[in-house]
Amino acid sequence: MIYVLTYPSFAPSCAQQIAEFRARHEPLRAALVPPHVTLVFGVAEAYLLGIADLVEIATQRRCALPVSFDSYVIEFDPFEKKHKIFLLCAAGREDLMTLHTQLYDGPHRACLSTAHPFQPHMTVASYDRREDAERVDVRHAIKLPIRAQIEALQIVRFAGGELTTLKTAPFLT
């Protein structure tokens, strides 16, 4: 499967808070992938060239994006069948939504679930039971708001339990 991710650049103290929190509350994913915002969700590798073109166009048109994550919510992920804690993007939200729309401007748009509208977020915890997620004190462990820069897009492949970066496309400087 192919994804388009962006790894926000955080101040070192914020990065450490998020890394420690994720290591405790979603250790498998934390070991697999750094904190990220997903802009294109798992699509077949047959779409790779078209997505690569869209990523190139998107990054040539914009500068790095300042973002902030100001709140959190517990959501059920029907694809993974997990209850997740999302840090919700506030500042930069509209820009990320625009990027998401632009990056689905191709045949892979048919893979996009209209039942689950995109909301820019960073997943920081995953649980089988909602009660377990509700017991987590996010605000005590992660000092909100968190500010970051979105500086590039990454096209990644997830196969055989491993994530491989296929392309990194930086935004204009």
Side-chain angles (χ1 to χ4, degrees):
M1 299 298 282
I2 300 298
Y3 296 79
V4 177
L5 308 178
T6 185
Y7 304 121
S9 295
F10 302 100
S13 62
C14 290
Q16 183 176 349
Q17 287 177 32
I18 294 167
E20 289 173 359
F21 189 88
R22 290 182 71 226
R24 221 175 11 255
H25 298 285
E26 62 169 5
L28 296 177
R29 187 178 316 254
L32 179 69
V33 61
H36 63 280
V37 175
T38 304
L39 294 168
V40 173
F41 295 86
V43 298
E45 195 156 337
Y47 297 114
L48 176 59
L49 292 178
I51 290 172
D53 288 343
L54 291 168
V55 163
E56 197 64 36
I57 291 166
T59 56
Q60 289 176 353
R61 294 183 180 170
R62 55 176 41 86
C63 294
L65 306 170
V67 295
S68 70
F69 299 90
D70 295 9
S71 61
Y72 71 95
V73 65
I74 298 170
E75 294 278 339
F76 180 71
D77 179 340
F79 304 103
E80 291 185 28
K81 309 258 187 285
K82 298 275 188 187
H83 298 274
K84 296 182 175 184
I85 298 176
F86 295 162
L87 296 184
L88 298 177
C89 186
R93 180 181 189 280
E94 294 302 318
D95 289 323
L96 290 175
M97 290 181 75
T98 297
L99 265 173
H100 168 76
T101 300
Q102 289 173 339
L103 294 173
Y104 270 101
D105 189 21
H108 60 288
R109 184 173 210 46
C111 304
L112 183 60
S113 172
T114 56
H116 307 283
F118 178 68
Q119 72 174 341
H121 69 276
M122 215 174 18
T123 304
V124 293
S126 299
Y127 289 95
D128 291 328
R129 299 176 342 133
R130 182 174 182 91
E131 302 81 43
D132 294 333
E134 288 172 344
R135 282 194 274 274
V136 176
D137 185 359
V138 175
R139 290 193 184 268
H140 180 71
I142 300 175
K143 306 296 182 221
L144 299 175
I146 292 174
R147 289 175 177 62
Q149 277 290 100
I150 302 292
E151 298 171 346
L153 299 179
Q154 283 77 22
I155 301 173
V156 300
R157 174 189 295 128
F158 182 67
E162 293 187 18
L163 195 71
T164 306
T165 300
L166 302 176
K167 176 181 179 112
T168 298
F171 289 116
L172 298 172
T173 54

